[in-house]
Amino acid sequence: MADSKEIFDRLKKDHDKHRELLDKLLETSGESEKREALFEELTRELKSHAAAEEQALYSTMLRKPPTTGDTRHSVAEHHEIEEALNDLAATDMSEGGWLTKFKTFDHDYRHHIDEEEEDHFPEFAKHLTEEDMEHMRSVFERRKQEEKAEAEITPEKKEDAKE
């Protein structure tokens, strides 16, 4: 078994940064510049992280039968996370409904990363080769930087927000 600690530590480091941004966002109120800036940063971080994680880790794990179920589950959650972020971006931040939605998102996202760290990563680690690790290292950082540069913050118009 390859030493996969490094790639998972790298992913966890991102998750810790995400938790920090979520905490800071929960302390904001109304349509403040601070809330907008933090939400933009969170969106860029999450979208670039998810894309890089999928290309580096999940594309690798999909080729290993014992882990395809967990992998599909996580990828499906990534799509839900992206939809929730887009919906939040389309929701008026000055309304109380934004914080309510954000709290639901916060709960769901923390559940997702806890599940990855506690269940999926240790399980995935058992199936990785040195070659897999090399591939993941090279792909992850590059893809994350590319995605971060291109991440859309408000892909939807305000009237598209879900009620």
Side-chain angles (χ1 to χ4, degrees):
M1 181 176 95
D3 179 18
S4 54
K5 191 170 154 27
E6 177 197 347
I7 189 77
F8 294 121
D9 283 350
R10 178 66 194 81
L11 294 169
K12 191 175 177 330
K13 197 175 123 193
D14 270 10
H15 291 168
D16 288 341
K17 183 175 185 179
H18 302 163
R19 289 181 180 100
E20 209 175 293
L21 286 166
L22 290 167
D23 288 343
K24 287 181 182 168
L25 263 158
L26 287 169
E27 292 165 13
T28 63
S29 59
E31 195 163 354
S32 62
E33 276 181 33
K34 186 176 182 189
R35 179 179 275 183
E36 281 182 32
L38 284 167
F39 181 69
E40 187 169 321
E41 188 183 351
L42 180 75
T43 301
R44 281 188 199 284
E45 278 292 326
L46 295 191
K47 288 186 176 183
S48 60
H49 171 85
E53 190 175 54
E54 283 175 28
Q55 198 182 353
L57 177 66
Y58 290 129
S59 66
T60 301
M61 301 325 296
L62 278 172
R63 296 194 305 269
K64 302 179 187 289
T67 61
T68 53
D70 283 347
T71 302
R72 288 202 178 98
H73 173 81
S74 273
V75 171
E77 285 188 348
H78 280 183
H79 293 293
E80 288 164 20
I81 288 161
E82 183 154 353
E83 280 175 21
L85 283 169
N86 292 348
D87 183 40
L88 278 162
T91 302
D92 188 343
M93 279 188 174
S94 62
E95 291 174 16
W98 190 88
L99 190 60
T100 305
K101 277 184 191 180
F102 183 75
K103 284 179 176 167
T104 301
F105 172 78
D106 175 74
H107 174 269
D108 293 347
Y109 185 70
R110 286 176 201 260
H111 170 79
H112 169 74
I113 56 181
D114 288 346
E115 184 176 56
E116 282 185 332
E117 291 172 7
E118 293 160 24
D119 303 339
H120 299 177
F121 293 173
E123 184 55 35
F124 290 176
K126 298 174 192 167
H127 303 280
L128 294 169
T129 65
E130 197 46 59
E131 205 178 322
D132 293 332
M133 296 307 302
E134 203 45 58
H135 164 75
M136 289 193 287
R137 273 193 290 270
S138 67
V139 170
F140 185 79
E141 289 304 329
R142 189 186 71 232
R143 180 70 196 267
K144 189 169 177 210
Q145 291 314 312
E146 290 167 3
E147 288 291 329
K148 211 169 182 176
E150 294 168 21
E152 287 188 53
I153 305 306
T154 49
E156 298 178 16
K157 297 185 175 50
K158 295 277 188 237
E159 56 265 24
D160 294 341
K162 296 185 183 78
E163 290 308 319

